[in-house]
Structures are given as C-alpha cells and as structure tokens.
C-alpha cells in the first residue's frame, strides 16, 4: 500500500521560512517524479514544484521560483519543500504527490497523493 505522509505545516509570519517533508512508503521511491501542489480555499489545486526521479532536475511554478526549494533523499524515501519569504497568498493545503517520469505540472498526471498539510501565513 502506497503512503505519502506530509509533515511540517503550520502557522508562520509573512517573510518567514517553513519546511515541509513527505515520507513515502510502499513504492519504488527512486522511480517516481515527486511533486508538491497546493490548494487554497475556494481555488483549484495548483502546481508548486517537482523533482525528477534522480533529483538532478527541479521544476518550479513562477510563484515559487527563487523562494522555494524542492529536494529528495533516497536513503530516507523523503521529499522536502523548503519555503522562504513566505507571503499570505502562500496560505493553502500543501500536498505531496508521486507520478511517473517525465515530469508534468498537471495534478492529474500524478498517481499517488498524501493527505495534505496546512500552511498558514499571517500578515
């Protein structure tokens, strides 16, 4: 059974950092593109960042470029999203997802999803 379990969400002040983790189990971690998506209240789920199966390539939404960093640790079967300079508009539920190669930014291309973790940025 595949499980993706996110952690690290919470309340942070605007301008501050926050790190998210996603621990994967039940799948061959190194075979999947790993992505982070988010969904704000009354909005559609949107792509945030993704990382190739090897970790050699990373992809970011324009809103995340220069502020967020995605990485993965194959020894721990974990993908991370480190967020800096957070803004109130980053407030959303953040989801971890696993999908097949090659990378895609569309949510329906991903096979497995975590339950999500809430990130709230106060102004």
């Amino acid at each position: 059974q595949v499980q993706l379990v996110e952690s690290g969400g919470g309340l942070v002040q605007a301008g501050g950092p926050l790190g998210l983790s996603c621990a994967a189990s039940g799948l061959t971690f190194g075979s999947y593109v790993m992505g982070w998506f988010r969904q704000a209240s009354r909005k559609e789920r949107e792509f945030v960042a993704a990382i190739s199966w090897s970790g050699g390539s990373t992809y970011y939404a324009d809103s995340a470029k220069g502020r967020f960093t995605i990485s993965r640790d194959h020894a721990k079967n974990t993908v991370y999203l480190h967020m800096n300079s957070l803004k109130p508009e980053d407030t959303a539920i953040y989801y971890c997802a696993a999908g097949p190669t090659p990378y895609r930014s569309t949510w329906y291309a991903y096979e497995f999803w975590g339950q999500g973790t809430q990130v709230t940025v106060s102004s």
Side-chain angles (χ1 to χ4, degrees), residues 67-115:
R67 299 189 301 129
F68 294 3
T69 302
I70 188 171
S71 61
R72 66 192 298 166
D73 185 332
H74 288 268
K76 296 182 178 179
N77 282 8
T78 299
V79 61
Y80 304 96
L81 184 69
H82 189 73
M83 304 181 288
N84 286 319
S85 303
L86 281 162
K87 305 174 183 179
E89 50 264 44
D90 294 317
T91 295
I93 299 174
Y94 282 71
Y95 297 91
C96 169
T101 299
Y103 142 81
R104 292 181 178 86
S105 63
T106 49
W107 65 266
Y108 47 82
Y110 290 75
E111 292 183 54
F112 305 108
W113 291 84
Q115 80 289 350

Side-chain angles (χ1 to χ4, degrees), residues 14-37:
L18 192 67
L20 304 181
S21 300
C22 172
S25 60
L27 77 170
T28 305
F29 183 70
S31 296
Y32 286 87
V33 170
M34 298 300 297
W36 286 96
F37 290 76

Side-chain angles (χ1 to χ4, degrees), residues 34-57:
M34 298 300 297
W36 286 96
F37 290 76
R38 68 187 183 186
Q39 188 165 15
S41 180
R42 295 184 296 277
K43 292 189 176 181
E44 293 188 355
R45 190 168 299 190
E46 64 175 4
F47 170 74
V48 176
I51 187 167
S52 63
W53 64 270
S54 68
S57 297

